[in-house]
């Protein structure tokens, strides 16, 4: 299996990972010190998505549709369309939510009708159930889900191993933080399941994605030579600190929080002065 689980997995009801309180604490400069390192650099070096030549997702892969709780196949989820495939952890507290949100925004910005493409999520943690997938979609996309119509899929350990092996997708489980270090990547698939491109969902634009979807829809497959190493992992476990990407996201969240508090104080002050006059 492509996932490296050198540590025992926790109980199925284990929960995630980092909440809004941590974001606020970091933004206000009150975040606790770095967590103890769990994964070493050798572990993180294995994390990447590097599709082999002619990589193709197995369309007959048995999956469960999280929306209906019914068994289906990956091919049926793609529906004969080009697809943006997002491997995600449905209970991730790091970059998975922004990956999904930005992918949905980029798809909407393409101007293409939703019937022309598929947005397919695959859970990389077999412990996550359909309820966790539905919750992620609801909390991350809200009403935007109606326009892009994502399909969230649940897979077994065996199916996950088969899919990740075919795509050259590798992730590492960290039992210490109950999280996965995995590539922050989206795989653009042609209608027949061939990997057309590997994209960063954190840097997608509507125009570029429209072109890529159009090419994939026509069966054109690009040259895949780069090994994507951008991680979705809250801490650089080798150094015990936040990775730069996570740190930027949390810093922005903290700044937004501080500005919101400042605006609230200013508004209350103006309201009080207005009443006094």
């Amino acid at each position: 299996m492509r996932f490296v689980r050198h540590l025992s997995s926790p109980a199925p009801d284990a929960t995630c990972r980092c909440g809004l309180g941590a974001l606020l604490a970091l933004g206000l400069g009150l975040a606790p010190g770095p967590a103890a390192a769990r994964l070493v650099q050798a572990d993180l070096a294995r994390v990447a998505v590097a599709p082999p030549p002619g990589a193709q997702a197995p369309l007959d892969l048995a999956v469960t549709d999280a929306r209906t709780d019914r068994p289906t196949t990956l091919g049926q989820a793609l529906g004969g369309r080009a697809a943006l495939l997002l491997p995600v952890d449905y209970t991730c507290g790091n970059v998975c939510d922004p990956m999904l949100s930005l992918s949905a925004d980029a798809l909407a910005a393409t101007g293409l009708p939703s019937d022309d493409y598929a947005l397919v999520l695959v859970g990389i943690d077999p412990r996550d159930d359909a309820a966790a997938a539905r919750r992620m979609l609801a909390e991350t996309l809200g009403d935007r889900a109606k326009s892009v119509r994502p399909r969230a899929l649940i897979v077994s350990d065996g199916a996950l191993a088969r899919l990740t092996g075919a795509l050259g997708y590798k992730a590492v489980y960290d039992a210490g933080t109950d999280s996965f270090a995995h590539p922050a990547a989206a795989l653009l698939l042609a209608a027949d399941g061939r990997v057309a491109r590997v994209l960063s969902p954190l840097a997608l634009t509507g125009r570029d994605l429209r072109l890529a979807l159009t090419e994939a829809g026509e069966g054109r497959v690009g040259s895949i030579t780069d090994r994507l190493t951008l991680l979705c992992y809250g801490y650089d476990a080798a150094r015990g600190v936040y990775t730069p990407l996570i740190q930027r996201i949390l810093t922005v969240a903290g700044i937004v929080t501080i500005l919101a508090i400042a605006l609230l104080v200013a508004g209350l002050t103006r309201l009080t002065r207005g009443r006094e006059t």
Side-chain angles (χ1 to χ4, degrees):
M1 184 173 181
R2 295 283 179 162
F3 286 87
V4 182
R5 295 192 180 186
H6 54 285
L7 301 175
S8 59
S9 297
D13 61 351
T15 56
C16 178
R17 281 108 121 145
C18 66
L20 180 59
L23 293 177
L24 298 178
L26 182 68
L28 296 174
L30 300 176
R38 299 289 182 176
L39 299 179
V40 298
Q41 192 62 44
D43 294 321
L44 299 180
R46 307 179 199 177
V47 179
V49 53
Q56 184 171 11
L59 298 184
D60 62 341
L61 189 76
V63 300
T64 298
D65 189 321
R67 182 177 62 86
T68 62
D69 268 329
R70 293 180 178 176
T72 183
T73 65
L74 180 60
Q76 289 173 327
L78 266 58
R81 300 164 292 175
L84 194 65
L85 180 69
L86 282 178
V88 296
D89 180 350
Y90 290 128
T91 55
C92 176
N94 295 320
V95 180
C96 288
D97 287 350
M99 282 171 53
L100 173 57
S101 181
L102 293 172
S103 295
D105 288 344
L107 285 168
T110 63
L112 296 171
S114 58
D115 290 338
D116 285 1
Y117 61 80
L119 174 58
V120 179
L121 282 67
V122 174
I124 63 172
D125 186 348
R127 298 170 300 155
D128 291 340
D129 56 13
R134 292 193 296 266
R135 184 164 53 250
M136 179 187 189
L137 290 177
E139 294 178 354
T140 304
L141 296 184
D143 290 338
R144 288 180 294 165
K146 297 177 182 178
S147 61
V148 296
R149 296 192 297 178
R151 298 285 297 273
L153 307 179
I154 308 298
V155 295
S156 66
D157 274 297
L160 181 61
R162 183 183 173 201
L163 178 63
T164 55
L167 299 178
Y169 186 96
K170 301 178 184 179
V172 179
Y173 177 70
D174 177 8
T177 59
D178 186 22
S179 64
F180 286 88
H182 66 91
L187 294 105
L188 186 64
L189 303 181
D192 60 1
R194 286 180 299 156
V195 178
R197 296 182 186 275
V198 178
L199 305 172
S200 169
L202 301 173
L204 288 176
T205 66
R207 185 178 66 176
D208 292 342
L209 185 55
R210 180 188 177 98
L211 176 61
L213 282 168
T214 301
E215 291 180 346
E218 295 172 351
R220 285 187 279 170
V221 176
S223 175
I224 304 171
T225 57
D226 293 333
R227 177 183 172 92
L228 187 69
T229 57
L230 178 62
L231 304 187
C232 174
Y233 187 56
Y235 284 93
D236 179 344
R239 294 184 298 162
V241 297
Y242 282 110
T243 59
L245 176 61
I246 301 298
Q247 191 167 15
R248 284 196 297 272
I249 292 174
L250 298 182
T251 299
V252 169
I255 292 173
V256 170
T257 301
I258 293 171
L259 290 176
I261 293 173
L263 289 173
L264 177 62
V265 171
L268 292 175
T269 300
R270 176 178 293 183
L271 180 62
T272 301
R273 290 177 179 174
R275 289 177 177 177
E276 290 176 351
T277 58

